[in-house]
Amino acid sequence: MMTSESDLPEGAGRACDIADAATAELNAAGQVVAWTRAAERLLGYPADEILNHPAAELLAVPGDASRAAAVAHWCRTGDGWGGSVAARHRDGRSLQLAIQVSPLIDAAGRERWSVLALEEWRLPEGGVNQLMLEPFLAHAPVGMAVLDTSLRYVWVNEVLERLIPLERRLGRQVKDVLPRREAEAFEERMQRVLASGSSVTDYEFRSPAYSDPHQERAYSASFFALADPLGQRVGIWYMVIDVTERWRAQERLALLNDASARIGSTLDVTVTAQELADVAVPPFADFVAVDLLDSVLRGEEPDPGPVDGTPVLRRSGQQSVREGCPEASLAMGEVVRRAPASPVARCLRDGKTLVEAVLDVATSAWVEDDPALAAIIDEYGFRSAMVVPVRARGVTLGAATFVRSRRQGPFEEDDVRLAEELVARAGVCVDNARRYTRERTAARAMQRNLLPHELSGGSALEVASWYFPADAPSGVGGDWFDVIPLSGARVALVVGDVVGHGINAAATMGRLRTAVRTLAHLDLAPDELLARLDDLVIGLMETQNSEAPSTAVEQESVAATFVGATCLYAVYDPVSRRCTLARASHLPPAIVSPDGSVDFPELPAGPPLGLGALPFESAELELAEGSLISLYTDGLIEACDRDIGVGLSRLTNALSAPGPTLREIGDNVVSALLTGPPSDDAALLLARTHALGADQVASWDLPTDPAVVASARTLVGRQLSMWGMESLLFTSELIVSELVTNAIRHATGPITLRLIREGALICEVSDTSSTSPRLRHARTTDEGGRGLLIVAQLTRRWGTRYTSTGKIIWAEQDASSDEPMPSLEGLL
């Protein structure tokens, strides 16, 4: 049987006199080309019978031929080979030889091999001889031991003897010498080796250090069988190596890998700080506290370099090997107060890591300044502390404190490098989270400013709204809604959706909302308003694409948000109870009648904003008083787990459920449709309609006769007396006189005068002309031209809106105003 030097006890052949050694020479093909007299005496073959024959013919075990080929390959790639070989004597006997193969190069440069062989010293039957092993293994730098088949110690070298004295090992079984768990593991592997003859290598285990039971060290053990020349297993030998440094290096690498995977999983500052504490406990420390500057938690930019003075720190993360962190003197979010001489204060001030390898209440002077902290150190047996500044991009963000008890021993130089690497990685994540917090705060502030703060439908509508940005990092989106008071007690409802999320979408939304408000105050019809909004979007896209600093990707992104924008615009008139709507590819509204039935009216779809190719069309609905108008965006009804049909069905069911208030109805809708964080921005606007009663509206048809102006003043005075608004009589008569006079002079009949009483007193004069009046300043010598100027002075606002039959000039006065009438001196 062929075995290598690592598989059998060494020294068998070398214990003999080298003069008795037999030598032979092989060529590159493994044939014997030289044979000595000593070789003939050893194996009995004369030279003429062996020369030019393969050396493998001398092997006693047939299976060794393939192993010999592996040995030949090893010799070609290495410097030779030594081991034990079973050879066949000429008389048929088997000899166990210790051989050494060395490479040679002859004068012609050809490959040759020199083989030195000695008969191996035989092992005694059924036992292991310590004398054979002693010279070679006693002084080995690793722990070695030999045991018999009963797993009793027969021999140990000096390394193991220093750990456990010889008298406590020899003659004793493994279970009587080693700790229970270690002994059970050793016995299981030794029995496996004895049964199969196969080695067990590199079994790693951890055990308390013999010099300090409170510290743990790592070892690697390998187990091998001892066999006699006949293959009978006669014992076990094992080798133990202290691999603590390798284990620690692997643990550090694993810790860094774990930190890379776990720290920074979110863009939340406190979550990131807690992740640092969670990663470091228990592999690296027994207690970790992460304290960050209060300004960092708010997302502000700290000053570069070390932190001077007494900054406000807050506990942002902490973890302990003890459940509940009983040693923590502060709760999460609480302000950290440390003495100027404390390691935390000095670490922030100097910007360097501070280590107290031996933390002792009696010798650490700074502990005396904090009796509560001293009590904690003493109670929980803290023996070593390290404070590392949390820094990123040249800015100090806080400090991380690592504490150990006797379980892991004091912090060493390697621990400092590892802690700094951990904290450096966490620092970048904390700073990223801080920057994100700043950007998100700014983005959300912008979103709040872009969306309406308060919605009021006046006496025409009762309104309520909900907005949910997509579950995206910025927390802002492009959905929007608005309620805009119009002339004649009318109210406009608008909802829109800009493609995408984030700052670009929110900025686009703000521009569109502002544009819609501006166009709405021109009293445009819904279809005309969308047409002008479409023209505006096209112009904005052209302007954006012409800006050189923007990259092509940015231009394409902004253009996409504009082109993909949708909008629905509706105007409700409480006098006629009619609602006029137009949409730019937006989802149709849901109308809930007073009896609870839900309808989605068929409206012309219209193209998305920014195409400029197709016209927009309006539709008009008559709504019963108390009807509910529901405007929404697709993010409310669409989701990854359902299509639009399912969403509309859920919306129908939620809207049809009775609710005493709009807020409760809307909350039911949101609960039914948004079962989790929305994947897209979602907006909902609910409006309940009210109608103005007959006692709030007065209307008269007037002929186109200048004499009717006096009759109009009389009608207005009588109506204001009925409404108890005599305080507005004088100004109202002036306003009516001017508006009716202008209609008679510059327009065509018929003329209609209407008064509306709601939050304001509204006076309207309609005619069939499409010519809009113009406010001008008359010269001193002019006899007229001051009418509209007088109206502007007497009212809070006035204007013109066009109808399908002409125009309406309107003016509003505060119904409950106690302010004195403005002076008309210089106007008349």
Side-chain angles (χ1 to χ4, degrees), residues 189 201-206 218-221 243 246-247 250:
R189 285 159 179 77
T201 59
D202 203 21
Y203 160 64
E204 290 193 0
F205 63 97
R206 300 175 189 177
Y219 302 93
S220 173
V243 293
R246 183 181 75 182
W247 166 65
Q250 292 173 344

Side-chain angles (χ1 to χ4, degrees), residues 93-110:
R93 291 183 293 114
S94 176
L95 299 177
Q96 197 72 22
L97 303 180
I99 68 171
Q100 181 68 43
V101 181
S102 302
L104 298 174
I105 302 296
D106 63 9
R110 291 173 298 185

Side-chain angles (χ1 to χ4, degrees), residues 621-692:
L621 306 174
E622 184 173 347
L623 303 178
E625 183 174 6
S627 296
L628 182 64
I629 305 173
S630 174
L631 306 182
Y632 51 89
T633 59
D634 56 1
L636 183 68
I637 61 174
E638 291 182 348
C640 58
D641 59 343
R642 65 170 185 264
D643 59 21
I644 190 172
V646 175
L648 290 175
S649 176
R650 292 184 181 180
L651 176 63
T652 301
N653 295 334
L655 289 174
S656 61
T661 65
L662 288 185
R663 181 57 56 182
E664 292 188 21
I665 294 174
D667 290 341
N668 291 337
V669 171
V670 171
S671 298
L673 293 170
L674 297 182
T675 56
S679 58
D680 191 11
D681 308 322
L684 173 65
L685 177 63
L686 296 182
R688 191 180 298 282
T689 64
H690 298 293
L692 295 182

